[in-house]
Amino acid sequence: MPAEHPGPAEPQGSAEHPGSAERPGSAPDTGRSEGLAGRMARRWEGLILVLLIGVALWASLGVDGFANGSNVSFLLLDTTEIALMALTMTLVIVAAEIDLSVASTLGLSCAVLGWLWNAGLPIEAIMPICLLVGAVCGAFNGLLVTRLGLPSLAVTIGTYALFRGLAYVMLGDQAVADLPPAYTSLATASLGPIPLASLLVLALAGVAAVVLHATGLGRSIFALGSNMEAAFFAGVRVKRIKFWLFVASGTMASLASLVYTFRYASARADNGMGLELAVVAAVLLGGVSIFGGRGTLPGVLMAVLLLGVVRNALILADVANEVLNFVTGLLLVASVLAPNLGAVRRRRTTPQVEGKSVS
């Protein structure tokens, strides 16, 4: 199978080690780096788990109503959309890209749902159309990144505004609230304290974890995130994989839009505003490297729960929304700094010969 040319805009080597591409025709030497990355990921996951348990215990003992069964159900339900979008965002960032348009894709899909419902279409026909809208949005991002060689950060900042603007063009400030009760009830239904939506997250997380950690496609995603040039010369279909990752990200954002719309029983153009910050924070806090090539889905899911617990506890403690945003931003900065400070320290203490590590 012939490899695609990555194009002139794609970087040489990895984001962490520019110019480190291996010679043409050689497979990337990822054995040692994967072992180190795996150990780092396990240590970071352990830290996140300890933090999650500690914060949950503190909230249970110090915040009235936190440990109540109905609040636990609400907490899990409130993290559903973030968790769904974080699953595919993990794959995108591991591949050394980013998608900041996910919340706007969610909003556009919500607007499409409301507009088509007002037009008289049955909800069973509207839902697959919404998923198709998300796939098209993701494909648009993917084409700009892979075919035109544009950086995904710049592309998705642009489509972040574009998709949200389209949502307002379709619905304006209108809220469509006369949605079918059967679907709005299903979106908030639960088995004991566990919402059905959380079971959907777990099922999709299992699929994503198998793809990322137990298949050749997952190894290719890690390889192109670690060293895209070397992965290309080893036969990884760089452009094709990245394109479909963006399609998957857009589709998952639209699935999250269906859950969001039915959960709040309201289709609005501003649905999901600002959720992209929480999604990226959860992925990075979960141990996924912003430079690509490292991360695990279990770590991301624990980070989603950690952010949800912190937010829920602060809300119950009547903390202002501005403080919630501050805490989210602080955790985002910490999640970027903490894993990379160790790497910087190691590079400074490792002997260098002619600009290259002797280790």
Side-chain angles (χ1 to χ4, degrees), residues 304-323:
V304 170
L305 283 177
L306 176 59
L307 288 174
V309 168
V310 169
R311 183 175 180 84
N312 182 265
L314 292 178
I315 289 174
L316 290 177
D318 292 325
V319 173
N321 191 62
E322 291 77 11
V323 177

PDB file of all heavy atoms in Angstrom, residues 304-323:
ATOM      1  N   VAL A 304     -11.883  13.592  33.642  1.00  0.00           N
ATOM      2  CA  VAL A 304     -13.248  14.110  33.452  1.00  0.00           C
ATOM      3  C   VAL A 304     -14.011  14.054  34.769  1.00  0.00           C
ATOM      4  O   VAL A 304     -14.688  15.016  35.166  1.00  0.00           O
ATOM      5  CB  VAL A 304     -13.986  13.306  32.367  1.00  0.00           C
ATOM      6  CG1 VAL A 304     -15.478  13.668  32.347  1.00  0.00           C
ATOM      7  CG2 VAL A 304     -13.382  13.572  30.996  1.00  0.00           C
ATOM      8  N   LEU A 305     -13.907  12.922  35.471  1.00  0.00           N
ATOM      9  CA  LEU A 305     -14.586  12.785  36.757  1.00  0.00           C
ATOM     10  C   LEU A 305     -14.016  13.763  37.786  1.00  0.00           C
ATOM     11  O   LEU A 305     -14.771  14.358  38.571  1.00  0.00           O
ATOM     12  CB  LEU A 305     -14.452  11.355  37.276  1.00  0.00           C
ATOM     13  CG  LEU A 305     -15.356  10.315  36.625  1.00  0.00           C
ATOM     14  CD1 LEU A 305     -15.054   8.935  37.193  1.00  0.00           C
ATOM     15  CD2 LEU A 305     -16.829  10.662  36.836  1.00  0.00           C
ATOM     16  N   LEU A 306     -12.685  13.931  37.790  1.00  0.00           N
ATOM     17  CA  LEU A 306     -12.067  14.859  38.733  1.00  0.00           C
ATOM     18  C   LEU A 306     -12.579  16.275  38.520  1.00  0.00           C
ATOM     19  O   LEU A 306     -12.959  16.965  39.482  1.00  0.00           O
ATOM     20  CB  LEU A 306     -10.548  14.807  38.590  1.00  0.00           C
ATOM     21  CG  LEU A 306      -9.752  15.802  39.440  1.00  0.00           C
ATOM     22  CD1 LEU A 306     -10.030  15.595  40.918  1.00  0.00           C
ATOM     23  CD2 LEU A 306      -8.251  15.672  39.155  1.00  0.00           C
ATOM     24  N   LEU A 307     -12.596  16.731  37.276  1.00  0.00           N
ATOM     25  CA  LEU A 307     -13.113  18.062  36.982  1.00  0.00           C
ATOM     26  C   LEU A 307     -14.587  18.170  37.359  1.00  0.00           C
ATOM     27  O   LEU A 307     -15.035  19.196  37.878  1.00  0.00           O
ATOM     28  CB  LEU A 307     -12.924  18.385  35.502  1.00  0.00           C
ATOM     29  CG  LEU A 307     -11.492  18.656  35.030  1.00  0.00           C
ATOM     30  CD1 LEU A 307     -11.450  18.803  33.521  1.00  0.00           C
ATOM     31  CD2 LEU A 307     -10.951  19.915  35.689  1.00  0.00           C
ATOM     32  N   GLY A 308     -15.357  17.101  37.094  1.00  0.00           N
ATOM     33  CA  GLY A 308     -16.773  17.118  37.448  1.00  0.00           C
ATOM     34  C   GLY A 308     -16.989  17.190  38.946  1.00  0.00           C
ATOM     35  O   GLY A 308     -17.875  17.916  39.424  1.00  0.00           O
ATOM     36  N   VAL A 309     -16.188  16.438  39.713  1.00  0.00           N
ATOM     37  CA  VAL A 309     -16.309  16.463  41.175  1.00  0.00           C
ATOM     38  C   VAL A 309     -15.966  17.840  41.717  1.00  0.00           C
ATOM     39  O   VAL A 309     -16.678  18.387  42.574  1.00  0.00           O
ATOM     40  CB  VAL A 309     -15.402  15.379  41.801  1.00  0.00           C
ATOM     41  CG1 VAL A 309     -15.275  15.580  43.308  1.00  0.00           C
ATOM     42  CG2 VAL A 309     -15.965  13.993  41.512  1.00  0.00           C
ATOM     43  N   VAL A 310     -14.869  18.416  41.241  1.00  0.00           N
ATOM     44  CA  VAL A 310     -14.461  19.747  41.702  1.00  0.00           C
ATOM     45  C   VAL A 310     -15.551  20.771  41.392  1.00  0.00           C
ATOM     46  O   VAL A 310     -15.944  21.569  42.264  1.00  0.00           O
ATOM     47  CB  VAL A 310     -13.129  20.160  41.043  1.00  0.00           C
ATOM     48  CG1 VAL A 310     -12.831  21.628  41.306  1.00  0.00           C
ATOM     49  CG2 VAL A 310     -11.992  19.287  41.548  1.00  0.00           C
ATOM     50  N   ARG A 311     -16.044  20.756  40.180  1.00  0.00           N
ATOM     51  CA  ARG A 311     -17.070  21.724  39.778  1.00  0.00           C
ATOM     52  C   ARG A 311     -18.344  21.531  40.598  1.00  0.00           C
ATOM     53  O   ARG A 311     -18.930  22.506  41.072  1.00  0.00           O
ATOM     54  CB  ARG A 311     -17.353  21.588  38.283  1.00  0.00           C
ATOM     55  CG  ARG A 311     -18.360  22.599  37.763  1.00  0.00           C
ATOM     56  CD  ARG A 311     -18.512  22.509  36.254  1.00  0.00           C
ATOM     57  NE  ARG A 311     -19.471  23.490  35.783  1.00  0.00           N
ATOM     58  CZ  ARG A 311     -19.176  24.763  35.532  1.00  0.00           C
ATOM     59  NH1 ARG A 311     -17.953  25.199  35.706  1.00  0.00           N
ATOM     60  NH2 ARG A 311     -20.103  25.605  35.107  1.00  0.00           N
ATOM     61  N   ASN A 312     -18.775  20.288  40.746  1.00  0.00           N
ATOM     62  CA  ASN A 312     -20.002  20.017  41.483  1.00  0.00           C
ATOM     63  C   ASN A 312     -19.882  20.449  42.944  1.00  0.00           C
ATOM     64  O   ASN A 312     -20.811  21.059  43.505  1.00  0.00           O
ATOM     65  CB  ASN A 312     -20.323  18.530  41.391  1.00  0.00           C
ATOM     66  CG  ASN A 312     -21.607  18.157  42.086  1.00  0.00           C
ATOM     67  OD1 ASN A 312     -21.598  17.744  43.239  1.00  0.00           O
ATOM     68  ND2 ASN A 312     -22.734  18.294  41.397  1.00  0.00           N
ATOM     69  N   ALA A 313     -18.741  20.151  43.562  1.00  0.00           N
ATOM     70  CA  ALA A 313     -18.542  20.530  44.964  1.00  0.00           C
ATOM     71  C   ALA A 313     -18.535  22.041  45.127  1.00  0.00           C
ATOM     72  O   ALA A 313     -19.112  22.578  46.084  1.00  0.00           O
ATOM     73  CB  ALA A 313     -17.237  19.929  45.483  1.00  0.00           C
ATOM     74  N   LEU A 314     -17.900  22.745  44.198  1.00  0.00           N
ATOM     75  CA  LEU A 314     -17.863  24.205  44.290  1.00  0.00           C
ATOM     76  C   LEU A 314     -19.244  24.816  44.072  1.00  0.00           C
ATOM     77  O   LEU A 314     -19.602  25.811  44.713  1.00  0.00           O
ATOM     78  CB  LEU A 314     -16.863  24.762  43.269  1.00  0.00           C
ATOM     79  CG  LEU A 314     -15.387  24.438  43.533  1.00  0.00           C
ATOM     80  CD1 LEU A 314     -14.512  25.007  42.425  1.00  0.00           C
ATOM     81  CD2 LEU A 314     -14.948  24.971  44.887  1.00  0.00           C
ATOM     82  N   ILE A 315     -20.025  24.225  43.177  1.00  0.00           N
ATOM     83  CA  ILE A 315     -21.383  24.720  42.957  1.00  0.00           C
ATOM     84  C   ILE A 315     -22.226  24.529  44.218  1.00  0.00           C
ATOM     85  O   ILE A 315     -22.963  25.439  44.647  1.00  0.00           O
ATOM     86  CB  ILE A 315     -22.037  24.008  41.765  1.00  0.00           C
ATOM     87  CG1 ILE A 315     -21.385  24.460  40.451  1.00  0.00           C
ATOM     88  CG2 ILE A 315     -23.545  24.287  41.706  1.00  0.00           C
ATOM     89  CD1 ILE A 315     -21.872  23.707  39.232  1.00  0.00           C
ATOM     90  N   LEU A 316     -22.130  23.353  44.839  1.00  0.00           N
ATOM     91  CA  LEU A 316     -22.886  23.099  46.064  1.00  0.00           C
ATOM     92  C   LEU A 316     -22.445  24.020  47.199  1.00  0.00           C
ATOM     93  O   LEU A 316     -23.235  24.326  48.097  1.00  0.00           O
ATOM     94  CB  LEU A 316     -22.726  21.641  46.488  1.00  0.00           C
ATOM     95  CG  LEU A 316     -23.408  20.598  45.601  1.00  0.00           C
ATOM     96  CD1 LEU A 316     -23.096  19.194  46.096  1.00  0.00           C
ATOM     97  CD2 LEU A 316     -24.917  20.819  45.551  1.00  0.00           C
ATOM     98  N   ALA A 317     -21.178  24.444  47.152  1.00  0.00           N
ATOM     99  CA  ALA A 317     -20.668  25.360  48.173  1.00  0.00           C
ATOM    100  C   ALA A 317     -20.953  26.817  47.832  1.00  0.00           C
ATOM    101  O   ALA A 317     -20.439  27.720  48.512  1.00  0.00           O
ATOM    102  CB  ALA A 317     -19.165  25.145  48.349  1.00  0.00           C
ATOM    103  N   ASP A 318     -21.784  27.058  46.796  1.00  0.00           N
ATOM    104  CA  ASP A 318     -22.192  28.413  46.382  1.00  0.00           C
ATOM    105  C   ASP A 318     -21.007  29.280  45.959  1.00  0.00           C
ATOM    106  O   ASP A 318     -20.965  30.485  46.239  1.00  0.00           O
ATOM    107  CB  ASP A 318     -22.966  29.120  47.507  1.00  0.00           C
ATOM    108  CG  ASP A 318     -24.310  28.470  47.767  1.00  0.00           C
ATOM    109  OD1 ASP A 318     -24.939  28.005  46.808  1.00  0.00           O
ATOM    110  OD2 ASP A 318     -24.729  28.414  48.944  1.00  0.00           O
ATOM    111  N   VAL A 319     -20.053  28.664  45.288  1.00  0.00           N
ATOM    112  CA  VAL A 319     -18.917  29.420  44.757  1.00  0.00           C
ATOM    113  C   VAL A 319     -19.329  30.074  43.440  1.00  0.00           C
ATOM    114  O   VAL A 319     -20.042  29.472  42.632  1.00  0.00           O
ATOM    115  CB  VAL A 319     -17.709  28.487  44.548  1.00  0.00           C
ATOM    116  CG1 VAL A 319     -16.566  29.200  43.846  1.00  0.00           C
ATOM    117  CG2 VAL A 319     -17.241  27.931  45.887  1.00  0.00           C
ATOM    118  N   ALA A 320     -18.868  31.284  43.209  1.00  0.00           N
ATOM    119  CA  ALA A 320     -19.247  32.033  42.011  1.00  0.00           C
ATOM    120  C   ALA A 320     -18.726  31.351  40.754  1.00  0.00           C
ATOM    121  O   ALA A 320     -17.699  30.649  40.772  1.00  0.00           O
ATOM    122  CB  ALA A 320     -18.701  33.457  42.082  1.00  0.00           C
ATOM    123  N   ASN A 321     -19.436  31.557  39.632  1.00  0.00           N
ATOM    124  CA  ASN A 321     -19.057  30.947  38.363  1.00  0.00           C
ATOM    125  C   ASN A 321     -17.678  31.388  37.898  1.00  0.00           C
ATOM    126  O   ASN A 321     -16.958  30.621  37.256  1.00  0.00           O
ATOM    127  CB  ASN A 321     -20.105  31.297  37.298  1.00  0.00           C
ATOM    128  CG  ASN A 321     -19.910  30.490  36.029  1.00  0.00           C
ATOM    129  OD1 ASN A 321     -19.997  29.274  36.045  1.00  0.00           O
ATOM    130  ND2 ASN A 321     -19.639  31.180  34.929  1.00  0.00           N
ATOM    131  N   GLU A 322     -17.298  32.642  38.230  1.00  0.00           N
ATOM    132  CA  GLU A 322     -15.971  33.122  37.842  1.00  0.00           C
ATOM    133  C   GLU A 322     -14.874  32.297  38.509  1.00  0.00           C
ATOM    134  O   GLU A 322     -13.828  32.032  37.911  1.00  0.00           O
ATOM    135  CB  GLU A 322     -15.810  34.595  38.239  1.00  0.00           C
ATOM    136  CG  GLU A 322     -16.665  35.571  37.434  1.00  0.00           C
ATOM    137  CD  GLU A 322     -18.121  35.580  37.876  1.00  0.00           C
ATOM    138  OE1 GLU A 322     -18.423  34.986  38.946  1.00  0.00           O
ATOM    139  OE2 GLU A 322     -18.948  36.169  37.161  1.00  0.00           O
ATOM    140  N   VAL A 323     -15.118  31.852  39.742  1.00  0.00           N
ATOM    141  CA  VAL A 323     -14.139  31.018  40.434  1.00  0.00           C
ATOM    142  C   VAL A 323     -14.062  29.637  39.780  1.00  0.00           C
ATOM    143  O   VAL A 323     -12.983  29.051  39.660  1.00  0.00           O
ATOM    144  CB  VAL A 323     -14.510  30.889  41.926  1.00  0.00           C
ATOM    145  CG1 VAL A 323     -13.533  29.955  42.645  1.00  0.00           C
ATOM    146  CG2 VAL A 323     -14.510  32.257  42.591  1.00  0.00           C
TER     147      VAL A 323
END
